[in-house]
Amino acid sequence: MIILAIETSCDETAISIVEASGGITAPLFKELSRVVSSQIDIHKEWGGVVPNLAKREHQKLLVPVLLEAIQESGIAQTHTKAMPSDIEQILDREPLLFNSMKECEALQNVPAIDYLAVTTGPGLEPALWVGINFARALSSLWNIPVVAANHMEGHILSPLLRGENITFPAVALLISGGHTELILVKDWCTYELLGVTQDDAVGEAFDKSARVLGLPYPGGPEISKYATRGTTGALTLPRPMLHSNNLNFSFSGLKTAVKYYADDHAPLNEQQKADIALEFEQAVTDVLVHKTKKALEQTGASSLIVGGGVIANTRIRNTLSQCVGKNVALLLPDLVHCGDNASMIAAAAYIRIEKKETKCELVAHGSQALAVE
Ligand code: KG4
Ligand code: ZN
């Protein structure tokens, strides 16, 4: 089965073409192409993602990203088809995208794919809608069905793209710019929420703390870079909720502590920034590792899946690898699949197709959580 997946939930315009096989007993994914066009440079000057700018950029980028993904995949394009009249109506709210589709004759060649898949949530609604309407327009143009995919399910399944398989029950730790959650994965698509952040997501805490230190957006990779030059023990930051008797998290106090320390020591020199970055990273790692171990103990899960942009962080990756016991399999995504990409969306769509649990409703849900029990 060949799936062309579209992801526009935040500030990456991403399209992948993935060949999927094996069903739910042994799912196997081969990426034929993966194109991710980041809008970071546009949002950088605002210090974070601006939803309407993201919407405009997705409209401009989707057609070129699609052409690149089709070309890179080498898949056949069978026959040509004229543009149906309903496309203008489908793209009523995306005039830039409509123009770019209209001007692109190459889109009239139908690629040999079985399904289109698109992220319907969670994410920024204006951004999600662009991807959804693009998928609907392509579906009409090529006469190929569209499957809705959940972004967080995509992050959970991202380690499958490197050939890992999940043994159930599994604990999933999701750490991204918008989410910090511990989830019990009982079976394919069957979830129970174990813990969730009470305020900021981990990635958000990285981004906000980086801003306090005068480092550019996105702050995660910047803080990691600075942390490598930090001195251990130069300062102490709190480990919020480390000993709370539940699996919830809180990161806004940590960010505030960074701000107070920075204000008290202003102006910060480069070494002080590095020291704060290191202690911040250690505080986050301590909390994530502690709660994750607790979740594994409580559930007796046989595997730990970690997904989301923050698992690109070397310290968090290494510490989790060291602390997971021998009888728990650790499933981490490749670095290219930590941040937002469309291959994970293809994987999420495939599992839903195989389980015959596809939704026909193509509507953006900004806060569409995983359906938990
Ligand atoms: O999953 P993702 O690409 O987008 C969302 O769905 O949110 O995650 C983005 C987040 C950002 O907050 C970014 O700062 C963080 O992942 N991030 C990192 C690193 N690389 C990206 N955080 C810590 N260390 C990194 N190396
Ligand atoms: Zn994400």
Side-chain angles (χ1 to χ4, degrees):
M1 182 187 298
I2 297 188
I3 303 173
L4 186 155
I6 301 166
E7 153 64 43
T8 63
S9 67
C10 191
D11 60 346
E12 325 279 357
T13 313
I15 296 188
S16 288
I17 300 180
V18 174
E19 188 181 326
S21 58
I24 51 169
T25 40
L28 195 64
F29 299 99
K30 184 175 168 202
E31 287 178 285
L32 304 180
S33 61
R34 173 187 359 101
V35 182
V36 181
S37 178
S38 171
Q39 306 174 0
I40 282 175
D41 288 342
I42 309 266
H43 299 286
K44 222 173 199 160
E45 58 180 293
W46 306 96
V49 183
V50 184
N52 280 326
L53 279 183
K55 175 183 158 106
R56 196 187 69 192
E57 287 308 299
H58 287 310
Q59 290 189 65
K60 288 203 260 179
L61 292 167
L62 274 169
V63 169
V65 166
L66 174 67
L67 295 181
E68 195 180 331
I70 291 176
Q71 197 191 18
E72 197 183 301
S73 72
I75 53 168
Q77 285 173 276
T78 42
H79 49 278
T80 57
K81 213 172 168 287
M83 174 95 81
S85 56
D86 65 345
I87 304 252
E88 185 163 10
Q89 205 188 332
I90 293 172
L91 296 179
D92 194 25
R93 291 175 178 221
E94 281 85 23
L96 289 176
L97 178 57
F98 175 66
N99 283 337
S100 122
M101 275 191 85
K102 205 171 60 180
E103 282 160 17
C104 181
E105 271 183 33
L107 284 187
Q108 294 179 12
N109 297 326
V110 185
I113 58 170
D114 301 292
Y115 284 95
L116 287 154
V118 65
T119 306
T120 54
L124 305 169
E125 287 206 12
L128 287 165
W129 273 118
V130 186
I132 293 171
N133 287 331
F134 188 49
R136 290 173 60 220
L138 291 177
S139 172
S140 168
L141 178 63
W142 296 337
N143 201 17
I144 289 168
V146 191
V147 175
N150 181 290
H151 185 85
M152 301 320 290
E153 193 159 81
H155 277 304
I156 292 178
L157 300 180
S158 61
L160 300 188
L161 296 164
R162 72 194 302 201
E164 301 277 16
N165 207 346
I166 304 176
T167 49
F168 301 105
V171 163
L173 171 68
L174 294 179
I175 41 177
S176 71
H179 292 260
T180 301
E181 279 153 24
L182 273 165
I183 292 166
L184 178 63
V185 188
K186 296 178 174 172
D187 198 346
W188 298 111
C189 314
T190 311
Y191 308 106
E192 185 186 314
L193 188 64
L194 299 173
V196 64
T197 181
Q198 306 296 291
D199 40 60
D200 292 352
V202 195
E204 194 180 352
F206 267 97
D207 295 339
K208 289 178 175 170
S209 300
R211 203 194 305 191
V212 169
L213 301 183
L215 307 177
Y217 174 84
E222 294 293 324
I223 293 214
S224 325
K225 247 186 274 163
Y226 267 78
T228 59
R229 300 191 290 271
T231 317
T232 308
L235 68 147
T236 307
L237 292 170
R239 271 79 175 142
M241 292 180 77
L242 187 67
H243 297 297
S244 68
N245 59 3
N246 55 37
L247 294 171
N248 292 334
F249 302 92
S250 163
F251 292 102
S252 81
L254 180 55
K255 163 203 73 189
T256 310
V258 169
K259 183 164 172 14
Y260 286 156
Y261 187 89
D263 288 349
D264 287 350
H265 295 81
L268 295 173
N269 62 34
E270 290 296 287
Q271 187 56 46
Q272 284 170 310
K273 288 185 189 178
D275 294 344
I276 297 171
L278 174 61
E279 173 61 7
F280 174 87
E281 217 180 60
Q282 262 165 352
V284 168
T285 308
D286 285 353
V287 175
L288 291 176
V289 167
H290 183 82
K291 296 274 166 159
T292 303
K293 279 168 87 170
K294 203 162 153 179
L296 288 168
E297 279 160 23
Q298 274 181 18
T299 59
S302 49
S303 44
L304 170 65
I305 304 167
V306 194
V310 180
I311 195 56
N313 183 283
T314 310
R315 182 179 313 276
I316 300 174
R317 264 183 114 82
N318 291 346
T319 316
L320 277 171
S321 308
Q322 286 156 17
C323 79
V324 171
K326 278 204 184 69
N327 29 13
V328 176
L330 176 63
L331 280 63
L332 296 179
D334 279 329
L335 283 180
V336 290
H337 299 130
C338 293
D340 292 346
N341 66 88
S343 302
M344 67 182 198
I345 299 307
Y350 179 67
I351 299 296
R352 291 278 169 179
I353 293 166
E354 288 295 307
K355 285 207 71 184
K356 301 192 171 37
E357 283 184 11
T358 52
K359 271 190 296 175
C360 338
E361 203 195 21
L362 291 168
V363 179
H365 292 288
S367 55
Q368 185 188 29
L370 288 168
V372 290
E373 293 190 326

